[in-house]
Amino acid sequence: MALNLSDILKMDIMDGTEVLAGHKGLHRQVTSATVMDAPDGMPWIKGMELLFTSTYPFHKETAHNLNHFIEELARRNVAGLGVKLNRYMKEIPAAMLKAADDLAFPIISIPFEKAWIEYTNPILSEILNDRSIRLIRSEEINRNFTKVLLSNSNLEQICQLLQHYVENPVTIVLNDTVIQIQDPTINNSSALFTSIQQKVEHEKEIMHPGHDVFRIHLKDVPYVVISFQKDVELAGYICIQESHRRFKSGDLDCLLHGKNAISLKTLQISSEQEHRKRYRNDFILRLLYEKIEEENLTEWQRKAWELGIELKERYVVTACKINNKSVELLYRIVDEMSGDPHLPASSLIGLDKKNQIILMKPIHEQDSPKNDNDILHKVFEQLQQIHIHGPFEWAAGISQQQAITDLQEGYHQAVEALYHGIQIAGYGQTQHYMDMGVYRLFSHPAMQPEIVKFVTQWLQPLIDYDHLHEADLIQTLGVFLECDGNYRKTAARMYLHHNTVRYRIQTINRELQCVIQDTKTKLQLQIALLLLPLSK
């Protein structure tokens, strides 16, 4: 990065100079120094010069034209204006100084007695020397960062190398991780990531616009910050705490090389993680779809160990269906479930071929069906609160406990329970396979047409009657059969008078054209009521 005005003003030849206006523009880069003492010299300006003048070109101009002169210099990206006063202008007009302040364009008063060459030659020499040093240093920095990348290093080592060059603590802030070196003020990665985003939007001090480098303050501590991307998305921030010294223009090369190295390493880590997740998910699918034989169990355990998985002896398999979410979001949900504190760390989580989330939870002595229900509700309640997911419908089916060699059966049980639960109760609930009872006999999709036909034959007249008259004949029939045809027990269960129950039973007999107390008829109606939820 080129020298800036702050660097130039620190040179010995600039002793006796004074910044009159535009202090906020002292970060402007300087690549040349020249003199303009002709009124028509503006077209020859190329930008990034430190421009010296005796004020002759504009000493007779009006206040409006003086302001326009400053605006034109700033537009042409001139680094700053060095003026000799007392010969043509005794002082710079206040309006001109204000225009310079508004544009962050530095105006510098220089001693009258020195010749132009006493300024331009040393400044040009310093610029050339700086370029030479920066080129050599840039090659060294690039070589060292490349060496670190090729040596299979981690982000911490890249962070340390960048800290070595900028001589200040360096922190890499990702959305879910903080990699820090000697900076105890930084913790809680997600909160810090959000805090930096807010500071960048509202409270940043731009230092190098071309490279989007800026300064912010966190807990009153100054940080020089640059963002970096993964693919096209914001991946994180590199933060340099200005605790030992201020960030210098020469540090920019180091920061940019560090940014490139960190971006590449982040992309590499992300790619490795994606491959590992894919292999892990493929292994989980094999557990679900392939039969594990006892004689092959050792081989399965070895493959699991290679993926960082410790297989347990027994599992409960849960199949979860989430509505209206893309595969990408489902994988993100799987990632978040993998780190959920409500689930055992040794749980296995993945997506099956139908994009259902499969959870294999190892068995513990204290486990119970109620515990499984509570855990799943807590997990999904927490997921619902994450803004990137938004609200969604979910349902889950839970298998019986299965040995590692019978996971295939557990998977089938979980999926069967899942769709049975959705069919009879909708979303937002869990269904245990062992609670399905006789429904297991009728849960196969091939049974659906016959179920609908049977329920329609026996119960449709009552369904139509209830819909037309807002009655409760279906409910009354169910309770009446459960109470073995006892009118008073039925009335007590339904909080009705027993004569009301008698009237409803007469209506049921009439609508169905049968006698429900008949033993065979009673059995048919009990089966129809049992199948009613499956017919919807």
Side-chain angles (χ1 to χ4, degrees), residues 252-280:
L252 185 61
D253 281 338
C254 307
L255 181 56
L256 295 178
H257 282 297
K259 172 185 172 179
N260 291 337
I262 289 167
S263 298
L264 288 171
K265 177 55 69 172
T266 304
L267 194 61
Q268 178 191 348
I269 292 171
S270 175
S271 177
E272 290 173 353
Q273 289 174 341
E274 287 300 319
H275 278 86
R276 191 169 187 82
K277 280 191 285 188
R278 190 176 295 115
Y279 290 138
R280 185 183 178 95

Short mmCIF file of all heavy atoms in Angstrom, two decimals, residues 252-280:
data_model
loop_
_atom_site.label_atom_id
_atom_site.label_comp_id
_atom_site.label_asym_id
_atom_site.label_seq_id
_atom_site.Cartn_x
_atom_site.Cartn_y
_atom_site.Cartn_z
N LEU A 252 -1.23 -2.79 5.24
CA LEU A 252 -2.33 -3.21 4.38
C LEU A 252 -1.95 -4.42 3.52
O LEU A 252 -2.75 -5.34 3.34
CB LEU A 252 -2.79 -2.05 3.49
CG LEU A 252 -4.02 -2.36 2.64
CD1 LEU A 252 -5.23 -2.69 3.50
CD2 LEU A 252 -4.35 -1.20 1.71
N ASP A 253 -0.72 -4.42 2.99
CA ASP A 253 -0.27 -5.57 2.20
C ASP A 253 -0.36 -6.86 3.02
O ASP A 253 -0.81 -7.90 2.53
CB ASP A 253 1.17 -5.37 1.72
CG ASP A 253 1.24 -4.46 0.51
OD1 ASP A 253 0.23 -4.34 -0.19
OD2 ASP A 253 2.30 -3.84 0.28
N CYS A 254 0.09 -6.78 4.26
CA CYS A 254 0.03 -7.96 5.15
C CYS A 254 -1.42 -8.41 5.34
O CYS A 254 -1.74 -9.60 5.27
CB CYS A 254 0.64 -7.63 6.51
SG CYS A 254 2.29 -6.95 6.45
N LEU A 255 -2.29 -7.43 5.59
CA LEU A 255 -3.69 -7.74 5.84
C LEU A 255 -4.33 -8.38 4.61
O LEU A 255 -5.09 -9.36 4.73
CB LEU A 255 -4.44 -6.47 6.25
CG LEU A 255 -5.94 -6.63 6.57
CD1 LEU A 255 -6.16 -7.68 7.65
CD2 LEU A 255 -6.52 -5.29 7.01
N LEU A 256 -4.03 -7.86 3.43
CA LEU A 256 -4.62 -8.42 2.21
C LEU A 256 -4.10 -9.82 1.92
O LEU A 256 -4.86 -10.71 1.51
CB LEU A 256 -4.35 -7.48 1.03
CG LEU A 256 -5.01 -6.10 1.10
CD1 LEU A 256 -4.63 -5.26 -0.11
CD2 LEU A 256 -6.52 -6.23 1.21
N HIS A 257 -2.79 -10.04 2.13
CA HIS A 257 -2.25 -11.40 1.98
C HIS A 257 -2.89 -12.34 3.00
O HIS A 257 -3.23 -13.49 2.68
CB HIS A 257 -0.73 -11.40 2.15
CG HIS A 257 0.01 -10.92 0.94
ND1 HIS A 257 -0.03 -11.56 -0.27
CD2 HIS A 257 0.83 -9.84 0.75
CE1 HIS A 257 0.71 -10.92 -1.15
NE2 HIS A 257 1.26 -9.87 -0.56
N GLY A 258 -3.03 -11.85 4.24
CA GLY A 258 -3.67 -12.65 5.27
C GLY A 258 -5.11 -12.97 4.93
O GLY A 258 -5.58 -14.09 5.13
N LYS A 259 -5.81 -11.98 4.39
CA LYS A 259 -7.21 -12.19 3.99
C LYS A 259 -7.31 -13.28 2.93
O LYS A 259 -8.17 -14.18 3.02
CB LYS A 259 -7.80 -10.89 3.46
CG LYS A 259 -9.20 -11.06 2.85
CD LYS A 259 -9.69 -9.77 2.23
CE LYS A 259 -10.98 -9.99 1.47
NZ LYS A 259 -11.51 -8.75 0.86
N ASN A 260 -6.45 -13.23 1.92
CA ASN A 260 -6.47 -14.25 0.86
C ASN A 260 -6.21 -15.64 1.44
O ASN A 260 -6.88 -16.62 1.08
CB ASN A 260 -5.44 -13.92 -0.22
CG ASN A 260 -5.81 -12.69 -1.02
OD1 ASN A 260 -6.98 -12.32 -1.09
ND2 ASN A 260 -4.82 -12.05 -1.61
N ALA A 261 -5.22 -15.73 2.34
CA ALA A 261 -4.88 -17.02 2.93
C ALA A 261 -6.03 -17.54 3.79
O ALA A 261 -6.37 -18.73 3.73
CB ALA A 261 -3.61 -16.89 3.78
N ILE A 262 -6.63 -16.66 4.57
CA ILE A 262 -7.74 -17.08 5.44
C ILE A 262 -8.96 -17.48 4.61
O ILE A 262 -9.64 -18.46 4.92
CB ILE A 262 -8.09 -15.93 6.42
CG1 ILE A 262 -6.96 -15.78 7.45
CG2 ILE A 262 -9.41 -16.18 7.12
CD1 ILE A 262 -7.03 -14.51 8.27
N SER A 263 -9.23 -16.74 3.52
CA SER A 263 -10.35 -17.10 2.65
C SER A 263 -10.15 -18.48 2.04
O SER A 263 -11.07 -19.31 2.02
CB SER A 263 -10.51 -16.06 1.53
OG SER A 263 -10.81 -14.79 2.06
N LEU A 264 -8.92 -18.75 1.56
CA LEU A 264 -8.63 -20.06 0.97
C LEU A 264 -8.73 -21.18 2.00
O LEU A 264 -9.28 -22.25 1.73
CB LEU A 264 -7.24 -20.05 0.33
CG LEU A 264 -7.09 -19.25 -0.97
CD1 LEU A 264 -5.63 -19.14 -1.36
CD2 LEU A 264 -7.91 -19.88 -2.08
N LYS A 265 -8.18 -20.91 3.20
CA LYS A 265 -8.23 -21.93 4.25
C LYS A 265 -9.67 -22.19 4.69
O LYS A 265 -10.07 -23.34 4.91
CB LYS A 265 -7.37 -21.49 5.43
CG LYS A 265 -7.39 -22.45 6.64
CD LYS A 265 -7.01 -23.87 6.27
CE LYS A 265 -5.57 -24.01 5.90
NZ LYS A 265 -5.17 -25.43 5.73
N THR A 266 -10.46 -21.13 4.81
CA THR A 266 -11.86 -21.29 5.19
C THR A 266 -12.61 -22.12 4.16
O THR A 266 -13.42 -22.99 4.49
CB THR A 266 -12.54 -19.91 5.34
OG1 THR A 266 -11.81 -19.13 6.28
CG2 THR A 266 -13.96 -20.06 5.83
N LEU A 267 -12.34 -21.84 2.88
CA LEU A 267 -12.97 -22.61 1.80
C LEU A 267 -12.54 -24.07 1.84
O LEU A 267 -13.36 -24.98 1.67
CB LEU A 267 -12.59 -21.99 0.45
CG LEU A 267 -13.40 -22.42 -0.77
CD1 LEU A 267 -14.86 -22.07 -0.61
CD2 LEU A 267 -12.84 -21.78 -2.02
N GLN A 268 -11.25 -24.30 2.13
CA GLN A 268 -10.75 -25.67 2.23
C GLN A 268 -11.40 -26.41 3.39
O GLN A 268 -11.85 -27.56 3.24
CB GLN A 268 -9.24 -25.65 2.42
CG GLN A 268 -8.62 -27.05 2.58
CD GLN A 268 -7.17 -26.99 3.03
OE1 GLN A 268 -6.54 -25.94 3.01
NE2 GLN A 268 -6.64 -28.12 3.45
N ILE A 269 -11.47 -25.75 4.55
CA ILE A 269 -12.10 -26.37 5.73
C ILE A 269 -13.55 -26.70 5.45
O ILE A 269 -14.05 -27.78 5.77
CB ILE A 269 -11.97 -25.44 6.95
CG1 ILE A 269 -10.51 -25.33 7.38
CG2 ILE A 269 -12.83 -25.93 8.11
CD1 ILE A 269 -10.25 -24.27 8.43
N SER A 270 -14.25 -25.74 4.82
CA SER A 270 -15.66 -25.94 4.50
C SER A 270 -15.84 -27.13 3.56
O SER A 270 -16.74 -27.96 3.74
CB SER A 270 -16.25 -24.67 3.87
OG SER A 270 -17.56 -24.87 3.46
N SER A 271 -14.96 -27.22 2.56
CA SER A 271 -15.05 -28.33 1.60
C SER A 271 -14.79 -29.67 2.29
O SER A 271 -15.51 -30.65 2.05
CB SER A 271 -14.04 -28.11 0.48
OG SER A 271 -14.05 -29.18 -0.42
N GLU A 272 -13.79 -29.69 3.17
CA GLU A 272 -13.49 -30.93 3.91
C GLU A 272 -14.66 -31.32 4.80
O GLU A 272 -15.00 -32.51 4.92
CB GLU A 272 -12.22 -30.74 4.73
CG GLU A 272 -10.95 -30.64 3.89
CD GLU A 272 -9.73 -30.28 4.72
OE1 GLU A 272 -9.90 -29.98 5.92
OE2 GLU A 272 -8.61 -30.30 4.17
N GLN A 273 -15.26 -30.33 5.46
CA GLN A 273 -16.40 -30.62 6.32
C GLN A 273 -17.58 -31.15 5.53
O GLN A 273 -18.27 -32.08 5.97
CB GLN A 273 -16.80 -29.36 7.09
CG GLN A 273 -15.81 -28.95 8.17
CD GLN A 273 -16.17 -27.63 8.81
OE1 GLN A 273 -16.94 -26.82 8.26
NE2 GLN A 273 -15.62 -27.36 9.98
N GLU A 274 -17.82 -30.56 4.33
CA GLU A 274 -18.91 -31.02 3.49
C GLU A 274 -18.68 -32.46 3.05
O GLU A 274 -19.62 -33.28 3.06
CB GLU A 274 -19.06 -30.12 2.26
CG GLU A 274 -19.64 -28.75 2.56
CD GLU A 274 -21.03 -28.82 3.17
OE1 GLU A 274 -21.84 -29.67 2.72
OE2 GLU A 274 -21.30 -28.06 4.12
N HIS A 275 -17.45 -32.79 2.66
CA HIS A 275 -17.15 -34.16 2.27
C HIS A 275 -17.33 -35.12 3.45
O HIS A 275 -17.90 -36.21 3.31
CB HIS A 275 -15.71 -34.26 1.74
CG HIS A 275 -15.58 -33.86 0.32
ND1 HIS A 275 -15.39 -32.56 -0.07
CD2 HIS A 275 -15.63 -34.58 -0.84
CE1 HIS A 275 -15.32 -32.48 -1.39
NE2 HIS A 275 -15.45 -33.69 -1.88
N ARG A 276 -16.87 -34.68 4.61
CA ARG A 276 -16.99 -35.54 5.80
C ARG A 276 -18.46 -35.76 6.17
O ARG A 276 -18.87 -36.86 6.51
CB ARG A 276 -16.24 -34.91 6.97
CG ARG A 276 -16.08 -35.84 8.16
CD ARG A 276 -15.10 -35.28 9.17
NE ARG A 276 -14.84 -36.24 10.21
CZ ARG A 276 -13.96 -37.23 10.13
NH1 ARG A 276 -13.29 -37.40 9.01
NH2 ARG A 276 -13.76 -38.07 11.13
N LYS A 277 -19.25 -34.69 6.06
CA LYS A 277 -20.68 -34.82 6.36
C LYS A 277 -21.36 -35.75 5.36
O LYS A 277 -22.23 -36.54 5.72
CB LYS A 277 -21.35 -33.44 6.34
CG LYS A 277 -21.15 -32.65 7.62
CD LYS A 277 -22.03 -31.43 7.67
CE LYS A 277 -21.53 -30.34 6.77
NZ LYS A 277 -22.27 -29.07 6.96
N ARG A 278 -20.94 -35.64 4.09
CA ARG A 278 -21.54 -36.51 3.07
C ARG A 278 -21.19 -37.98 3.33
O ARG A 278 -22.06 -38.85 3.25
CB ARG A 278 -21.04 -36.08 1.69
CG ARG A 278 -21.78 -36.76 0.54
CD ARG A 278 -21.33 -36.26 -0.82
NE ARG A 278 -21.67 -34.85 -0.97
CZ ARG A 278 -20.79 -33.89 -1.10
NH1 ARG A 278 -19.50 -34.17 -1.08
NH2 ARG A 278 -21.16 -32.63 -1.25
N TYR A 279 -19.92 -38.25 3.65
CA TYR A 279 -19.54 -39.62 3.96
C TYR A 279 -20.27 -40.12 5.21
O TYR A 279 -20.70 -41.28 5.27
CB TYR A 279 -18.02 -39.72 4.19
CG TYR A 279 -17.21 -39.51 2.92
CD1 TYR A 279 -16.05 -38.74 2.95
CD2 TYR A 279 -17.60 -40.09 1.72
CE1 TYR A 279 -15.30 -38.55 1.79
CE2 TYR A 279 -16.86 -39.90 0.56
CZ TYR A 279 -15.71 -39.12 0.60
OH TYR A 279 -14.98 -38.93 -0.53
N ARG A 280 -20.41 -39.24 6.18
CA ARG A 280 -21.09 -39.63 7.42
C ARG A 280 -22.56 -39.94 7.14
O ARG A 280 -23.10 -40.92 7.63
CB ARG A 280 -20.96 -38.49 8.44
CG ARG A 280 -21.54 -38.80 9.81
CD ARG A 280 -21.43 -37.58 10.72
NE ARG A 280 -22.01 -37.81 12.03
CZ ARG A 280 -21.35 -38.19 13.10
NH1 ARG A 280 -20.05 -38.40 13.01
NH2 ARG A 280 -21.96 -38.38 14.25
#
